[in-house]
Amino acid sequence: MYEYEIHQVQQAELLRSADRQRLVGEARRARRTARRAGRTGQQGIEGRVSALRSRFVRAA
């Protein structure tokens, strides 16, 4: 019975560790995406709706 309780504690610790690593990975990906959006001048994930320069076609 004692070994079973030790096993349960170790399993719970492994699950907590995996959850923490998953959360860290998500935070890294979010920061990386935000940095890339800042470098390219995009507004969030979907980007800008329109730019003033490309809104109208030039007359010939």
Side-chain angles (χ1 to χ4, degrees):
M1 190 69 180
Y2 184 68
E3 288 101 12
Y4 179 73
E5 291 176 4
I6 290 175
H7 172 71
Q8 293 288 37
V9 169
Q10 289 176 340
Q11 182 181 10
E13 288 177 9
L14 286 173
L15 289 173
R16 280 191 296 269
S17 175
D19 192 36
R20 191 176 20 218
Q21 288 178 356
R22 192 177 309 114
L23 185 62
V24 167
E26 289 175 6
R28 281 184 182 155
R29 281 189 293 277
R31 263 188 270 135
R32 191 178 309 138
T33 302
R35 263 188 279 147
R36 285 181 185 161
R39 271 192 242 139
T40 59
Q42 293 179 354
Q43 305 273 330
I45 296 173
E46 296 181 7
R48 297 174 73 177
V49 175
S50 66
L52 291 176
R53 294 177 70 191
S54 63
R55 187 181 300 178
F56 302 105
V57 179
R58 281 193 170 159

